[in-house]
mmCIF file with all atom_site columns, all heavy atoms in Angstrom:
data_model
loop_
_atom_site.group_PDB
_atom_site.id
_atom_site.type_symbol
_atom_site.label_atom_id
_atom_site.label_alt_id
_atom_site.label_comp_id
_atom_site.label_asym_id
_atom_site.label_entity_id
_atom_site.label_seq_id
_atom_site.pdbx_PDB_ins_code
_atom_site.Cartn_x
_atom_site.Cartn_y
_atom_site.Cartn_z
_atom_site.occupancy
_atom_site.B_iso_or_equiv
_atom_site.pdbx_formal_charge
_atom_site.auth_seq_id
_atom_site.auth_comp_id
_atom_site.auth_asym_id
_atom_site.auth_atom_id
_atom_site.pdbx_PDB_model_num
ATOM 1  N N   . MET A 1 226 ? 12.373 8.098  1.513  1.00 0.00 ? 392 MET A N   1
ATOM 2  C CA  . MET A 1 226 ? 13.133 7.707  2.737  1.00 0.00 ? 392 MET A CA  1
ATOM 3  C C   . MET A 1 226 ? 14.476 8.460  2.763  1.00 0.00 ? 392 MET A C   1
ATOM 4  O O   . MET A 1 226 ? 14.989 8.822  3.798  1.00 0.00 ? 392 MET A O   1
ATOM 5  C CB  . MET A 1 226 ? 13.295 6.274  2.790  1.00 0.00 ? 392 MET A CB  1
ATOM 6  C CG  . MET A 1 226 ? 14.077 5.783  4.049  1.00 0.00 ? 392 MET A CG  1
ATOM 7  S SD  . MET A 1 226 ? 13.376 6.156  5.597  1.00 0.00 ? 392 MET A SD  1
ATOM 8  C CE  . MET A 1 226 ? 12.738 4.548  6.142  1.00 0.00 ? 392 MET A CE  1
ATOM 9  N N   . ASP A 1 227 ? 14.985 8.758  1.572  1.00 0.00 ? 393 ASP A N   1
ATOM 10 C CA  . ASP A 1 227 ? 16.308 9.369  1.494  1.00 0.00 ? 393 ASP A CA  1
ATOM 11 C C   . ASP A 1 227 ? 16.258 10.907 1.424  1.00 0.00 ? 393 ASP A C   1
ATOM 12 O O   . ASP A 1 227 ? 17.293 11.503 1.215  1.00 0.00 ? 393 ASP A O   1
ATOM 13 C CB  . ASP A 1 227 ? 17.063 8.814  0.227  1.00 0.00 ? 393 ASP A CB  1
ATOM 14 C CG  . ASP A 1 227 ? 17.455 7.381  0.392  1.00 0.00 ? 393 ASP A CG  1
ATOM 15 O OD1 . ASP A 1 227 ? 17.590 6.976  1.558  1.00 0.00 ? 393 ASP A OD1 1
ATOM 16 O OD2 . ASP A 1 227 ? 17.655 6.698  -0.618 1.00 0.00 ? 393 ASP A OD2 1
ATOM 17 N N   . THR A 1 228 ? 15.064 11.540 1.542  1.00 0.00 ? 394 THR A N   1
ATOM 18 C CA  . THR A 1 228 ? 14.974 12.976 1.509  1.00 0.00 ? 394 THR A CA  1
ATOM 19 C C   . THR A 1 228 ? 15.600 13.589 2.719  1.00 0.00 ? 394 THR A C   1
ATOM 20 O O   . THR A 1 228 ? 15.680 12.888 3.751  1.00 0.00 ? 394 THR A O   1
ATOM 21 C CB  . THR A 1 228 ? 13.607 13.467 1.269  1.00 0.00 ? 394 THR A CB  1
ATOM 22 O OG1 . THR A 1 228 ? 12.772 12.815 2.277  1.00 0.00 ? 394 THR A OG1 1
ATOM 23 C CG2 . THR A 1 228 ? 13.049 13.155 -0.080 1.00 0.00 ? 394 THR A CG2 1
ATOM 24 N N   . PRO A 1 229 ? 15.928 14.906 2.731  1.00 0.00 ? 395 PRO A N   1
ATOM 25 C CA  . PRO A 1 229 ? 16.425 15.543 3.985  1.00 0.00 ? 395 PRO A CA  1
ATOM 26 C C   . PRO A 1 229 ? 15.536 15.361 5.192  1.00 0.00 ? 395 PRO A C   1
ATOM 27 O O   . PRO A 1 229 ? 14.321 15.296 5.046  1.00 0.00 ? 395 PRO A O   1
ATOM 28 C CB  . PRO A 1 229 ? 16.668 17.010 3.591  1.00 0.00 ? 395 PRO A CB  1
ATOM 29 C CG  . PRO A 1 229 ? 16.790 16.881 2.090  1.00 0.00 ? 395 PRO A CG  1
ATOM 30 C CD  . PRO A 1 229 ? 15.935 15.817 1.608  1.00 0.00 ? 395 PRO A CD  1
ATOM 31 N N   . ALA A 1 230 ? 16.123 15.406 6.359  1.00 0.00 ? 396 ALA A N   1
ATOM 32 C CA  . ALA A 1 230 ? 15.360 15.222 7.610  1.00 0.00 ? 396 ALA A CA  1
ATOM 33 C C   . ALA A 1 230 ? 14.241 16.279 7.814  1.00 0.00 ? 396 ALA A C   1
ATOM 34 O O   . ALA A 1 230 ? 13.304 15.994 8.562  1.00 0.00 ? 396 ALA A O   1
ATOM 35 C CB  . ALA A 1 230 ? 16.280 15.214 8.771  1.00 0.00 ? 396 ALA A CB  1
ATOM 36 N N   . ASP A 1 231 ? 14.423 17.503 7.182  1.00 0.00 ? 397 ASP A N   1
ATOM 37 C CA  . ASP A 1 231 ? 13.497 18.492 7.398  1.00 0.00 ? 397 ASP A CA  1
ATOM 38 C C   . ASP A 1 231 ? 12.220 18.385 6.509  1.00 0.00 ? 397 ASP A C   1
ATOM 39 O O   . ASP A 1 231 ? 11.363 19.281 6.513  1.00 0.00 ? 397 ASP A O   1
ATOM 40 C CB  . ASP A 1 231 ? 14.134 19.900 7.241  1.00 0.00 ? 397 ASP A CB  1
ATOM 41 C CG  . ASP A 1 231 ? 14.597 20.119 5.807  1.00 0.00 ? 397 ASP A CG  1
ATOM 42 O OD1 . ASP A 1 231 ? 14.549 19.218 4.964  1.00 0.00 ? 397 ASP A OD1 1
ATOM 43 O OD2 . ASP A 1 231 ? 15.101 21.236 5.500  1.00 0.00 ? 397 ASP A OD2 1
ATOM 44 N N   . PHE A 1 232 ? 12.099 17.302 5.785  1.00 0.00 ? 398 PHE A N   1
ATOM 45 C CA  . PHE A 1 232 ? 10.922 17.118 4.959  1.00 0.00 ? 398 PHE A CA  1
ATOM 46 C C   . PHE A 1 232 ? 10.241 15.810 5.330  1.00 0.00 ? 398 PHE A C   1
ATOM 47 O O   . PHE A 1 232 ? 10.585 14.678 4.825  1.00 0.00 ? 398 PHE A O   1
ATOM 48 C CB  . PHE A 1 232 ? 11.309 17.074 3.483  1.00 0.00 ? 398 PHE A CB  1
ATOM 49 C CG  . PHE A 1 232 ? 10.108 16.799 2.573  1.00 0.00 ? 398 PHE A CG  1
ATOM 50 C CD1 . PHE A 1 232 ? 9.084  17.722 2.486  1.00 0.00 ? 398 PHE A CD1 1
ATOM 51 C CD2 . PHE A 1 232 ? 10.045 15.675 1.787  1.00 0.00 ? 398 PHE A CD2 1
ATOM 52 C CE1 . PHE A 1 232 ? 7.928  17.498 1.780  1.00 0.00 ? 398 PHE A CE1 1
ATOM 53 C CE2 . PHE A 1 232 ? 8.943  15.464 0.934  1.00 0.00 ? 398 PHE A CE2 1
ATOM 54 C CZ  . PHE A 1 232 ? 7.897  16.363 0.875  1.00 0.00 ? 398 PHE A CZ  1
ATOM 55 N N   . PRO A 1 233 ? 9.329  15.852 6.300  1.00 0.00 ? 399 PRO A N   1
ATOM 56 C CA  . PRO A 1 233 ? 8.659  14.634 6.764  1.00 0.00 ? 399 PRO A CA  1
ATOM 57 C C   . PRO A 1 233 ? 7.527  14.172 5.886  1.00 0.00 ? 399 PRO A C   1
ATOM 58 O O   . PRO A 1 233 ? 7.037  13.036 6.032  1.00 0.00 ? 399 PRO A O   1
ATOM 59 C CB  . PRO A 1 233 ? 8.122  15.053 8.168  1.00 0.00 ? 399 PRO A CB  1
ATOM 60 C CG  . PRO A 1 233 ? 7.868  16.529 8.029  1.00 0.00 ? 399 PRO A CG  1
ATOM 61 C CD  . PRO A 1 233 ? 8.953  17.021 7.104  1.00 0.00 ? 399 PRO A CD  1
ATOM 62 N N   . GLY A 1 234 ? 7.021  15.017 5.025  1.00 0.00 ? 400 GLY A N   1
ATOM 63 C CA  . GLY A 1 234 ? 5.842  14.682 4.258  1.00 0.00 ? 400 GLY A CA  1
ATOM 64 C C   . GLY A 1 234 ? 4.571  15.357 4.984  1.00 0.00 ? 400 GLY A C   1
ATOM 65 O O   . GLY A 1 234 ? 4.767  16.259 5.704  1.00 0.00 ? 400 GLY A O   1
ATOM 66 N N   . PRO A 1 235 ? 3.391  14.765 4.713  1.00 0.00 ? 401 PRO A N   1
ATOM 67 C CA  . PRO A 1 235 ? 3.060  13.645 3.890  1.00 0.00 ? 401 PRO A CA  1
ATOM 68 C C   . PRO A 1 235 ? 3.255  13.962 2.400  1.00 0.00 ? 401 PRO A C   1
ATOM 69 O O   . PRO A 1 235 ? 3.204  15.114 2.027  1.00 0.00 ? 401 PRO A O   1
ATOM 70 C CB  . PRO A 1 235 ? 1.659  13.341 4.217  1.00 0.00 ? 401 PRO A CB  1
ATOM 71 C CG  . PRO A 1 235 ? 1.032  14.695 4.636  1.00 0.00 ? 401 PRO A CG  1
ATOM 72 C CD  . PRO A 1 235 ? 2.219  15.410 5.284  1.00 0.00 ? 401 PRO A CD  1
#
Side-chain angles (χ1 to χ4, degrees):
M392 182 61 107
D393 290 336
T394 54
D397 63 355
F398 179 60

